[in-house]
Amino acid sequence: MLKFNDFGRVEELATPFWYYDMDVFRKTVKLAASLSERYGIGAHYALKANVEPRLVSYIASKGFGADCVSGNEVKYAVESGFARSSIVFAGVGKSDKEISDALDLGIGCFNVESLMEMQVIDALAASKGVRANVSLRINPNIDAHTHRYVTTGLYENKFGISRHEFEAAIDILKGSKVLDFKGLHFHIGSQITDVESVYSLECERAAEIVEWFEAHGMDVGSIDLGGGLGVDYDEPDENPVPDFEKWFSIIDRKLRRRPEQSVSIEPGRSMVAQCGSLITRVLFVKSGETKTFLIMDAGMNDLIRPALYGAYHKIENLSAYYVSKSSSDEMKNIEATTSESVGSSAKFSSAETSESEDLTRHHQMPGRSWRAGEPCGDGKPVGKSSSDDRPGPGICESKYVEDAKAARSVRVWDRVPMKNMGRDRPLEKGVQGGLRLYDVVGPVCESSDVWGEGRELPYSKRGDILAIRSTGAYGSVMSSRYNLRDLAPAVFSDDMKLK
């Protein structure tokens, strides 16, 4: 269960929002940084996973390089504090402007994905009178045993240079006066959980290809093995930090290389996925002919992974857990106090207590924004909501969503005090342990806007707050304003502790 010291604080925030557990985040980043230093394997953070300024700047401060796949990511990496020499620019479709801007910035290396791209970089660098470092991204034809949409190392995929083009690539490099060949780059897929076999095969195949290039007169100074380490979406609390040790140790043991050759990887998802959760509130409970739906205020515009990939995310009813826990603790205190004053005969029976509660109360949903002028996650004052004249929620703006700034003000619901809201949720007939099956869905006008079908959850009702876990990677960065819905803001655990 997602941990909060004061769940009442969470209830006061407008939903949906992205919640980042900074303790988990820092622990993850520090472990990856220490292993990188211990094994002598460089690491470039894949910005496409998450670009929240607070997260990215912290990663940069720990000595990571940056793996970028667009011109704006390259610029953002520079502005976030990554050393320019540590920035690598991959991506199968770099525009001329993106290449030109990257040359002007003096980035570390272009990971070239096609012969034509290499020719364009050559021409643009020559026209500017500058040199360009390039590595060749190789398609090694390895099955990463992951979802087909995130498999990138097979011949049928659009990424990288295939074997039949190797000699032509060498001819272009040898004929260029401005291209400096640095090495080879590989990336075979994402969310790889079969770590031992997949990465062992990648190391073996990479060594063979390196040997081929060196046999043909090319000095391969660097070997970039890409990213892809998977995370535990089923049980994020049991495995909050991915097994970086296994990943680094496999590369160290399996990759044949010369002592002077540098080796690097590109962690993205593994760095940020488990620290993030999408916090959302039940708008309505709807009984269909064959299913019961929990209709949430977060939709596929916020988190598209389930709709796009059929991705699984664990869903937790925080209200059912924290309110019930609070009620249980409160009842224990009442019983203890009563016992001290009038004796054990005055203790409450659980049956009498449950009968005294109104378990079917309909209510307006709670929700209250931070007040105007209070600091949000990035330390800036909070402005007014664009939806009405009430204060908006804490907003942490990313530089590259300037056109959506106004959308980050989320309309809030008036809070109606309900001391016993959600207490002693009833056990329904035929449902063991008070659990029942729900289809958890979003409000977007698409049938694919589904968080999970047939999810077993505690008895849930309007106003309950749910957490969709492991959303720190490929969550907010892939969000949109589809249906003209607002973009969800970010809330950080550090800020929750300070208030």
Side-chain angles (χ1 to χ4, degrees):
M1 185 64 62
L2 188 61
K3 300 298 189 295
F4 291 101
N5 292 327
D6 183 1
F7 185 65
R9 293 278 311 287
V10 179
E11 292 182 298
E12 294 177 353
L13 298 177
T15 52
F17 62 86
W18 302 98
Y19 175 76
Y20 293 102
D21 185 327
M22 296 301 288
D23 290 335
V24 171
F25 169 69
R26 285 188 288 264
K27 181 179 179 181
T28 303
V29 174
K30 288 178 180 178
L31 176 60
S34 66
L35 291 171
S36 173
E37 183 177 0
R38 186 203 307 173
Y39 283 101
I41 297 174
H44 297 84
Y45 170 63
L47 264 73
K48 61 180 178 288
N50 191 309
V51 292
E52 278 295 336
R54 187 181 296 197
L55 306 186
V56 174
S57 61
Y58 182 83
I59 292 171
S61 73
K62 295 303 177 183
F64 287 83
D67 166 43
C68 304
V69 291
S70 75
N72 280 346
E73 283 191 358
V74 170
K75 294 176 184 177
Y76 187 58
V78 172
E79 292 166 3
S80 298
F82 291 94
R84 300 186 184 202
S85 60
S86 74
I87 297 173
V88 296
F89 188 7
V92 71
K94 306 176 185 73
S95 71
D96 288 17
K97 183 179 186 306
E98 289 176 318
I99 294 170
S100 179
D101 289 345
L103 287 168
D104 292 341
L105 288 171
I107 66 167
C109 192
F110 291 88
N111 287 339
V112 177
E113 306 227 15
S114 69
L115 302 184
M116 188 173 291
E117 178 192 330
M118 186 156 46
Q119 292 170 327
V120 171
I121 294 173
D122 182 40
L124 289 173
S127 69
K128 291 175 176 288
V130 298
R131 304 193 68 80
N133 295 331
V134 297
S135 287
L136 302 184
R137 176 170 179 177
I138 303 300
N139 187 323
N141 195 35
I142 293 176
D143 187 350
H145 302 162
T146 187
H147 193 284
R148 65 188 183 92
Y149 285 179
V150 292
T151 295
T152 60
L154 294 173
Y155 285 156
E156 64 193 57
N157 300 133
K158 66 181 180 180
F159 302 97
I161 296 172
S162 298
R163 279 186 177 274
H164 73 277
E165 297 178 310
F166 286 0
E167 292 185 357
I170 290 176
D171 289 341
I172 294 173
L173 288 167
K174 289 183 175 180
S176 173
K177 297 179 180 179
V178 295
L179 298 182
D180 294 324
F181 175 66
K182 293 299 179 181
L184 300 178
H185 173 232
F186 305 84
H187 179 64
I188 59 176
S190 188
Q191 185 52 18
I192 297 171
T193 56
D194 188 3
V195 177
E196 182 74 36
S197 64
V198 171
Y199 285 115
S200 294
L201 179 58
E202 182 189 25
C203 288
E204 179 183 343
R205 192 71 52 82
E208 293 172 355
I209 295 172
V210 168
E211 290 172 0
W212 186 94
F213 271 87
E214 295 202 320
H216 287 75
M218 305 301 294
D219 181 18
V220 180
S222 68
I223 305 170
D224 186 339
L225 295 174
L229 181 65
V231 303
D232 189 346
Y233 283 99
D234 295 319
E235 298 297 340
D237 291 327
E238 292 183 10
N239 296 291
V241 180
D243 196 349
F244 289 112
E245 175 71 46
K246 188 173 185 178
W247 190 21
F248 278 92
S249 65
I250 288 171
I251 294 171
D252 185 60
R253 288 184 286 109
K254 300 290 186 177
L255 182 63
R256 302 191 308 275
R257 62 195 187 278
R258 300 192 311 273
E260 66 273 18
Q261 285 177 318
S262 66
V263 179
S264 60
I265 55 174
E266 298 168 351
R269 180 197 312 268
S270 55
M271 298 275 279
V272 293
Q274 299 293 44
C275 73
S277 296
L278 179 58
I279 309 301
T280 178
R281 191 177 258 114
V282 177
L283 294 173
F284 308 111
V285 182
K286 179 178 179 179
S287 296
E289 291 294 332
T290 59
K291 297 181 175 183
T292 301
F293 299 93
L294 297 183
I295 302 175
M296 313 305 297
D297 61 3
M300 61 186 289
N301 66 294
D302 298 300
L303 177 66
I304 199 173
R305 296 188 70 254
L308 182 61
Y309 305 129
Y312 174 90
H313 288 269
K314 187 174 185 179
I315 300 174
E316 299 170 340
N317 188 323
L318 302 179
S319 296
Y321 175 78
Y322 283 101
V323 177
S324 297
K325 183 177 184 295
S326 176
S327 298
S328 176
D329 293 342
E330 179 184 342
M331 187 55 61
K332 289 178 182 178
N333 292 334
I334 292 173
E335 291 177 350
T337 303
T338 304
S339 176
E340 292 174 3
S341 61
V342 299
S344 60
S345 61
K347 290 185 178 179
F348 289 87
S349 71
S350 59
E352 291 171 343
T353 302
S354 62
E355 288 175 0
S356 68
E357 301 291 348
D358 178 3
L359 300 174
T360 58
R361 186 184 347 294
H362 292 281
H363 55 82
Q364 294 182 17
M365 294 187 304
R368 185 171 62 215
S369 65
W370 287 326
R371 295 299 178 187
E374 289 184 351
C376 67
D378 59 5
K380 297 178 183 178
V382 178
K384 294 285 187 179
S385 168
S386 63
S387 301
D388 54 22
D389 60 356
R390 288 174 290 182
I395 296 168
C396 301
E397 296 171 350
S398 174
K399 187 173 182 62
Y400 292 102
V401 290
E402 297 289 343
D403 60 331
K405 281 184 179 179
R408 287 182 174 264
S409 293
V410 182
R411 188 178 181 89
V412 300
W413 292 72
D414 293 328
R415 181 174 175 81
V416 177
M418 292 195 180
K419 181 178 179 182
N420 297 323
M421 184 188 71
R423 180 183 290 177
D424 298 335
R425 294 162 185 264
L427 302 184
E428 298 194 355
K429 292 182 179 180
V431 182
Q432 185 176 0
L435 300 176
R436 64 172 300 172
L437 298 181
Y438 294 100
D439 275 21
V440 186
V441 303
V444 173
C445 293
E446 298 283 349
S447 294
S448 58
D449 187 23
V450 178
W451 300 117
E453 294 182 292
R455 294 296 183 92
E456 193 176 69
L457 294 169
Y459 172 76
S460 303
K461 58 189 184 64
R462 172 172 163 82
D464 279 357
I465 296 176
L466 273 62
I468 302 173
R469 302 293 304 277
S470 308
T471 58
Y474 307 108
S476 61
V477 289
M478 297 180 74
S479 61
S480 74
R481 293 207 60 206
Y482 184 47
N483 286 184
L484 283 182
R485 295 182 58 78
D486 295 326
L487 295 176
V491 175
F492 301 87
S493 61
D494 288 350
D495 298 333
M496 299 285 284
K497 293 175 183 177
L498 292 174
K499 293 180 180 292

